[in-house]
Amino acid sequence: MSGRWRAVARHARVVLALAVLASDAGAVPVEVSADGRTIAVAQPPASTLPAPRGAAKLPFGATPDWQNTLRVQVGGLAFGDLNGDGRPDLAAVCYQSSSFPPYEDWRNFVYFNTGTALQAEAGWISADQVHSGDAAIADIDGDGTNDLVVANGGSAYAANAIYFGSASGLATTPGWLSAQPAWAVGMELVDIDGDGDLDLLTANQGRSQPDVHRPAYLFRNDAGHLTTTPVWQSAESSIQNSVAAGDLDGDGRPEIGLAKWVGFTSGVHFNAGTLPETTPSLSLGGGQGDRGIAFADMDGDGRQDIVLGVDDRLHIYINDGQGGFTDAWTSGQAASHQDLLVADFDGDGLPDIVDIDFSSGRAYLYMNRPGLPATTPDWSYDAAASGTALAAADIDGDGRLDLAIGYSGQPSVVVFINRLVVEDLLFADGFELEGLR
């Protein structure tokens, strides 16, 4: 039996054992992730881990500034203006699983921005209820209002969906559904063909043996109309979990990166003109269960680098501008990389990394500085629920990015407001950051 099938078989035995456990009176809680491959049992009490740096130099405090009250399983978070007031609202899309105790609700929710904070209760709730694993907000149909795009799946292979926005508000039922049978576990909106509108990329998997694998799919946007069937798919069928897009070779066309599960090699499909190559030209990771991928200029040289969750560590692959990528940094903290976020939280022009572990619910922030981040997290937050999703936006309008974290549990979303001010943005040697004087 191959290593990949042994891993699947072990997973099946664990699920069966937990199902038996959950049937007993007084059984401990069991949480299952949106892709059905990660399990958490008996969460430890929440605690806030000490941060290596001084609190005044960190963007976030020890406790959330906002949290909701819903007990749901958040599969993905997305910020964007969904009511036309120019402020970022927060969408939370939810999944269904065999977790115990069971979850009664897996609709999607939007918390609208009131000006300096999010609503206490959701201002929009979807009418439908399907397994949703990721989301993004953008104007897909070109009507000047943003839409909510959701990657769906689960064992029922629920279709990917778009809830269209309009002057009268966001529709509560989808106006577009994909037609391919797959379990989408990640997504990215990107203008892959350079025609000025956003196309949809999905990372996919199957549900169980013998239907375990799927290609990555691309749905083309033609003048505001998204195709219902893929116009491109990767040559390899595999178990993917994350997708990223960005121009790695400087030719003005975006490449796509795929992080893949045990037995498959993560890699980058370079753009051949209007579509990506069907096979990756660059291979990354170790084939032991990569999760989470992002493209960003991590070293400030103007070229996009690659951040990848390799097994239980984060890695940064530096772009040399000649087609080569050097594995230059590895995190010291182990995590499952259930979601990965790269964003500049301190305004120094260098993107920082947030990583979240499903089983422990801990989120870790690695602050970038010239020479790449330290290998130990600068800030962390330990929740009692299982960690699932990350998103960032300037909620309160102060010019600094704030952080939203999604969970399987209650609360299911928390927000940390960025507390940094210009005077706090100092290097360890005391010199102010350039451009912030």
Side-chain angles (χ1 to χ4, degrees):
M1 182 182 290
S2 71
R4 179 169 74 251
W5 294 117
R6 282 197 297 271
V8 172
R10 283 196 300 271
H11 171 75
R13 288 196 295 271
V14 171
V15 171
L16 178 61
L18 291 176
V20 172
L21 176 64
S23 67
D24 296 334
V28 296
V30 175
E31 297 287 353
V32 180
S33 65
D35 62 3
R37 299 183 182 281
T38 309
I39 299 168
V41 183
Q43 291 290 333
S47 62
T48 301
L49 302 181
R53 298 171 66 195
K57 298 178 183 177
L58 294 171
F60 310 123
T63 58
D65 298 285
W66 177 94
Q67 64 184 39
N68 71 354
T69 57
L70 296 175
R71 183 181 182 268
V72 294
Q73 297 182 286
V74 172
L77 295 172
F79 277 109
D81 180 12
L82 287 169
N83 59 0
D85 64 0
R87 298 188 288 258
D89 309 306
L90 179 62
V93 300
C94 302
Y95 67 94
Q96 181 187 20
S97 78
S98 57
S99 297
F100 176 82
Y103 285 81
E104 305 298 331
D105 194 349
W106 51 94
R107 294 172 294 172
N108 300 326
F109 303 85
V110 172
Y111 294 90
F112 291 105
N113 194 322
T114 64
T116 57
L118 299 177
Q119 294 173 303
E121 304 293 336
W124 177 92
I125 303 173
S126 66
D128 61 332
Q129 186 168 243
V130 300
H131 181 109
S132 300
D134 203 358
I137 295 172
D139 183 6
I140 298 297
D141 56 2
D143 67 350
T145 59
N146 281 333
D147 314 304
L148 175 60
V149 187
V150 184
N152 292 328
S155 59
Y157 287 158
N160 303 313
I162 300 177
Y163 303 87
F164 286 104
S166 68
S168 59
L170 187 66
T172 57
T173 56
W176 174 88
L177 293 170
S178 64
Q180 96 296 344
W183 183 332
V185 291
M187 60 166 288
E188 184 86 1
L189 295 176
V190 60
D191 182 8
I192 201 75
D193 52 7
D195 65 353
D197 47 31
L198 292 171
D199 310 301
L200 171 62
L201 284 163
T202 61
N204 308 295
Q205 66 175 37
R207 51 193 166 202
S208 60
Q209 296 188 44
D211 191 29
V212 181
H213 307 137
R214 283 293 185 277
Y217 291 130
L218 171 67
F219 301 86
R220 192 198 300 274
N221 189 336
D222 289 320
H225 301 282
L226 212 62
T227 60
T228 57
T229 56
V231 301
W232 174 92
Q233 64 183 50
S234 60
E236 179 190 60
S237 289
S238 61
I239 301 172
Q240 307 124 45
N241 55 65
S242 311
V243 59
D247 183 9
L248 294 178
D249 56 9
D251 66 355
R253 298 189 297 260
E255 280 68 56
I256 68 168
L258 292 169
K260 301 177 186 177
W261 193 240
V262 177
F264 298 97
T265 303
S266 302
V268 174
H269 297 252
F270 282 83
N271 198 322
T274 58
L275 289 174
E277 298 171 342
T278 58
T279 58
S281 299
L282 176 66
S283 296
L284 302 166
Q288 299 303 308
D290 300 343
R291 184 185 295 272
I293 188 169
F295 296 165
D297 180 9
M298 299 302 297
D299 58 357
D301 66 355
R303 295 187 290 262
Q304 296 283 294
D305 309 304
I306 302 172
V307 182
L308 179 67
V310 180
D311 196 7
D312 65 350
R313 295 293 192 274
L314 293 174
H315 288 244
I316 297 176
Y317 296 85
I318 295 299
N319 188 341
D320 66 8
Q322 305 298 318
F325 289 81
T326 302
D327 190 351
W329 178 89
T330 304
S331 64
Q333 175 63 55
S336 65
H337 325 301
Q338 193 66 27
D339 200 6
L340 175 64
L341 173 66
V342 177
D344 183 6
F345 289 103
D346 60 3
D348 65 353
L350 295 170
D352 312 303
I353 304 172
V354 185
D355 189 20
I356 190 165
D357 183 82
F358 179 80
S359 296
S360 69
R362 291 175 181 168
Y364 302 98
L365 170 65
Y366 297 86
M367 300 294 292
N368 206 344
R369 61 267 281 169
L372 299 178
T375 57
T376 56
D378 295 281
W379 173 90
S380 61
Y381 175 69
D382 188 4
S386 296
T388 59
L390 301 164
D394 181 9
I395 295 172
D396 56 0
D398 66 351
R400 298 282 179 253
L401 291 177
D402 309 306
L403 175 65
I405 306 176
Y407 299 97
S408 176
Q410 185 181 23
S412 51
V413 183
V414 304
V415 169
F416 289 88
I417 297 298
N418 195 327
R419 300 303 182 185
L420 287 179
V421 295
V422 172
E423 289 75 12
D424 292 330
L425 302 181
L426 302 175
F427 287 127
D429 59 9
F431 289 100
E432 291 182 338
L433 298 178
E434 291 297 326
L436 293 177
R437 294 189 180 93

